[in-house]
Amino acid sequence: MKNIVVLLVLLSMIFVGVSSPISSAQTKNKVAFYYNIRNLGAKGDGKTLDTDAINKAIETAAKAGGGTVYFPAGTYLSFSIRLKSNITIYLDNGATLLAADPEKHKGKYDSFEPNEWDMYQDFGHSHWKNSLMWGIGIENFAIIGNGRIDGLGLSKRSPGPQKPRTDGETPTSMKDNPSPLGELSPLKEMEGLGTKAIALKLSKNITLKDFSIYRGGHFALLATGVDNLTIDGLRVDTNRDGFDIDACRNVRISNVHVNTPNDDAIVLKSSYGLGFARATENVTITNSQVSGFDLGTMLDGTYQTTQEFAPDKDRSTGRIKFGTESNGGFKNITISNINFVHCRGLAIETVDGGNIEDISITNITMRDILTAPFFIRLGKRQRGPVNSPIAKVKRINISNVVVSDARSEYASIIAGLQESLVEDVNFSNIYIQYKGGGTKEDALREVPQNEKNYPEPSMFGVLPASTFYIRHAKNITFDNIRVSFQKEDFRPAFVLDNVHGIDFDRLKIWTNSKLFSLKNVSDFTVTNSKNTDDTKLEKVEKKDF
């Protein structure tokens, strides 16, 4: 009976708006606090700034040892909200946290903090406080509920890395290494702007569950150096990146739908923003969908595809990607049960010195894929401290993937470096349907190295291969691979350049063109395959068949 009374009191605090603590005697020495932000001055009318009331509720709860800050139905206009440890923010159905616009409303977002390492990554990865919601060094924190965060007033701008500062000098973006979107802007122009919906740094035990984010700015979520992060059931429809998981450990992402036509949906990074290289590791991504539909049309259920190109002119994005920031590398990552729809394919990239190791990807469907279905790139942009090492890529397993209606200019790509080969990659049980249409002239193209270029499948131009282009790699396996084309493609299916130790078994490529074009290849075998005899080659300088 006593427990029932306590439960009724708790419910009344949420729905009636009581903000008093329950006594320790009533909860057997556990003190629980529930704060309705309306009780602390929030109007929820979408016109009045509720920043102070929200921050007051969080501060009051934190001083009392923690609790739940409750947002009932309404629209809460706000600038920066400062998150604290031991707090749960509950966004109820019908509640919208609306990002204020500095040009329209009387206020501004918290200033971005100094970062002496901001010459090594874009502005957005170097700062956290200039956000709608931010927390640094917090723990045991959650945002839950079926409400919405709307980043209407957030900026999606992203200046490139900043030059080292000197006294009295206004830092400007590095002209020799700009943002891939070409948005160059002095930092002074970013003052007062908010660029992220949620930003977390050096925190632990974080849960984000069930709410929606619309128009999240440069990042809907930037998590840097966060340990034990759980993201479950979120719906994100945003104008730049969805989730940026940067230098984080022990991350679980599940049951999410992330729609990002202008940038990446779920992206793992390992920047130098913390001042040291830290791997993103022990990550699970599962039971989710990523897409590149027009902004807002995932949340409203219309799923429109009128927008063709992202800001980098490479078609809508919306994918899962490792990189581009990759100083610390990526280790022990599993990705399973994912739908890619109207977006680019899977991208696994390291170009700043961090290794990629122990990756397992399985049970993937891709439909209406706008660039390469698979892109594995080891480069040497080396955007980091002097003498950063050249990266290594090894032990990647990709299995049980079905791809349909894929653009075929760039085929799929495995591309390492002459001095650092991509190693130990296994593809099994893969079906790809390409649009086809490659020409005989395309088959003759010489592919540039572009070792320091920003990594995208388009970086090499139209490829001479229709199915896979593989260069600077070793110990690669293809097992049970089936490929078809919507229209005839005159390029060889597989083009191999400087590849050592590669096995093909059970290939079925529905093409009238050559299957293989080999250059500087050793330890090559093909068995049990359509349109070719079993073949073993110890070493070959050049051979087409």
Side-chain angles (χ1 to χ4, degrees):
M1 183 66 184
K2 189 176 182 180
N3 289 337
I4 294 174
V5 172
V6 171
L7 177 61
L8 291 173
V9 172
L10 289 174
L11 291 173
S12 70
M13 287 180 174
I14 295 176
F15 296 108
V16 178
V18 178
S19 59
S20 303
I22 298 175
S23 70
S24 59
Q26 288 175 310
T27 60
K28 297 182 179 179
N29 299 321
K30 292 182 180 179
V31 181
F33 293 83
Y34 287 80
Y35 294 88
N36 185 324
I37 61 172
R38 295 249 189 182
N39 264 24
L40 293 165
K43 300 298 183 183
D45 58 12
K47 299 177 182 179
T48 306
L49 279 171
D50 289 326
T51 313
D52 290 344
I54 297 168
N55 280 317
K56 181 180 178 182
I58 293 172
E59 286 282 355
T60 304
K63 287 178 181 178
T68 296
V69 175
Y70 175 65
F71 287 65
T75 300
Y76 302 91
L77 186 68
S78 184
F79 286 105
S80 291
I81 297 169
R82 299 158 199 131
L83 308 177
K84 304 291 182 181
S85 295
N86 305 313
I87 299 294
T88 293
I89 290 179
Y90 189 97
L91 299 174
D92 208 348
N93 251 321
T96 297
L97 175 59
L98 181 63
D101 186 338
E103 292 187 2
K104 297 179 180 179
H105 306 109
K106 295 181 179 179
K108 61 181 181 179
Y109 292 89
D110 289 349
S111 295
F112 54 87
E113 64 274 55
N115 188 342
E116 63 180 300
W117 312 106
D118 61 0
M119 72 286 290
Y120 297 135
Q121 54 276 321
D122 291 348
F123 175 85
H125 296 91
S126 300
H127 309 282
W128 295 266
K129 292 184 178 181
N130 55 330
S131 304
L132 175 59
M133 309 176 82
W134 65 267
I136 297 176
I138 66 173
E139 58 185 77
N140 308 324
F141 173 83
I143 303 174
I144 63 174
N146 284 295
R148 175 177 293 191
I149 297 172
D150 186 340
L152 174 64
L154 297 176
S155 172
K156 61 181 182 179
R157 296 171 62 187
S158 176
Q162 306 303 305
K163 291 180 179 178
R165 306 175 187 187
T166 60
D167 290 343
E169 179 185 8
T170 299
T172 55
S173 297
M174 295 174 67
K175 298 295 190 293
D176 60 344
N177 201 358
S179 160
L181 299 183
E183 300 179 54
L184 300 175
S185 173
L187 287 189
K188 63 181 180 181
E189 296 183 14
M190 302 302 295
E191 184 62 42
L193 299 181
T195 64
K196 294 165 279 284
I198 304 169
L200 302 166
K201 176 185 178 185
L202 292 174
S203 299
K204 62 182 179 181
N205 304 333
I206 306 295
T207 299
L208 307 174
K209 184 173 174 59
D210 292 339
F211 59 92
S212 300
I213 301 177
Y214 177 44
R215 297 179 291 201
H218 185 198
F219 303 126
L221 167 68
L222 173 63
T224 308
V226 176
D227 292 344
N228 302 334
L229 171 63
T230 298
I231 302 171
D232 184 44
L234 266 60
R235 299 165 299 282
V236 178
D237 199 336
T238 188
N239 37 11
R240 286 290 302 275
D241 277 2
F243 306 146
D244 269 48
I245 309 301
D246 185 2
C248 295
R249 299 179 297 205
N250 305 320
V251 179
R252 295 157 298 280
I253 301 173
S254 59
N255 308 310
V256 301
H257 188 165
V258 187
N259 183 64
T260 56
N262 296 319
D263 222 319
D264 299 308
I266 302 173
V267 52
L268 306 181
K269 297 192 175 182
S270 56
S271 75
Y272 211 81
L274 297 173
F276 56 91
R278 187 187 204 239
T280 286
E281 58 185 319
N282 305 333
V283 177
T284 299
I285 304 171
T286 191
N287 298 341
S288 297
Q289 180 168 306
V290 294
S291 60
F293 298 112
D294 295 353
L295 178 64
T297 66
M298 181 273 281
L299 283 177
D300 71 16
T302 60
Y303 301 103
Q304 297 177 27
T305 58
T306 60
Q307 174 178 308
E308 182 177 1
F309 293 105
D312 63 2
K313 309 303 180 186
D314 238 356
R315 305 190 186 98
S316 295
T317 316
R319 64 186 163 188
I320 294 177
K321 183 176 85 167
F322 296 52
T324 300
E325 284 73 16
S326 46
N327 303 87
F330 310 95
K331 302 176 182 179
N332 198 27
I333 314 294
T334 65
I335 300 173
S336 64
N337 304 339
I338 308 291
N339 301 133
F340 289 64
V341 187
H342 186 68
C343 60
R344 302 180 201 181
L346 176 72
I348 301 175
E349 308 167 357
T350 179
V351 294
D352 296 324
N355 294 343
I356 296 178
E357 299 175 337
D358 304 320
I359 312 299
S360 179
I361 299 167
T362 190
N363 295 347
I364 307 294
T365 65
M366 300 186 186
R367 190 172 182 86
D368 188 16
I369 297 304
L370 306 175
T371 60
F374 304 103
F375 180 57
I376 300 175
R377 174 58 171 162
L378 194 172
K380 56 179 181 181
R381 180 179 67 173
Q382 303 306 97
R383 199 160 75 175
V386 176
N387 298 323
S388 294
I390 300 297
K392 295 183 180 298
V393 174
K394 51 190 175 183
R395 298 189 300 277
I396 297 176
N397 189 69
I398 300 174
S399 64
N400 302 329
V401 181
V402 177
V403 182
S404 68
D405 204 23
R407 298 287 291 259
S408 55
E409 296 97 319
Y410 312 130
S412 288
I413 302 168
I414 301 173
L417 298 169
Q418 180 73 46
E419 65 269 43
S420 185
L421 307 184
V422 174
E423 304 178 43
D424 306 324
V425 180
N426 177 59
F427 285 89
S428 62
N429 301 328
I430 310 291
Y431 192 117
I432 306 175
Q433 180 203 60
Y434 285 111
K435 289 181 179 292
T439 67
K440 294 178 180 179
E441 290 74 22
D442 294 334
L444 299 176
R445 279 198 69 242
E446 292 292 330
V447 180
Q449 296 288 337
N450 291 340
E451 294 176 338
K452 297 184 178 182
N453 285 31
Y454 185 87
E456 281 292 347
S458 60
M459 67 186 297
F460 299 121
V462 177
L463 289 170
S466 65
T467 300
F468 266 88
Y469 179 80
I470 306 171
R471 181 167 62 185
H472 305 319
K474 68 178 182 180
N475 300 334
I476 310 298
T477 301
F478 289 89
D479 179 26
N480 192 25
I481 310 299
R482 295 176 293 165
V483 181
S484 63
F485 302 91
Q486 293 179 17
K487 57 183 178 181
E488 189 171 6
D489 199 303
F490 292 95
R491 298 171 294 176
F494 292 87
V495 174
L496 280 54
D497 184 355
N498 190 32
V499 178
H500 308 283
I502 184 164
D503 298 320
F504 296 89
D505 187 46
R506 296 188 295 166
L507 287 183
K508 291 185 178 180
I509 313 294
W510 283 274
T511 179
N512 293 320
S513 298
K514 297 175 183 177
L515 287 185
F516 299 102
S517 178
L518 312 182
K519 178 181 177 182
N520 187 22
V521 173
S522 64
D523 191 14
F524 169 99
T525 62
V526 56
T527 55
N528 305 312
S529 296
K530 177 182 172 66
N531 295 339
T532 187
D533 296 330
D534 289 1
T535 303
K536 181 175 178 61
L537 301 171
E538 290 186 7
K539 187 174 182 179
V540 60
E541 293 300 319
K542 188 170 178 59
K543 183 178 178 67
D544 295 342
F545 64 101

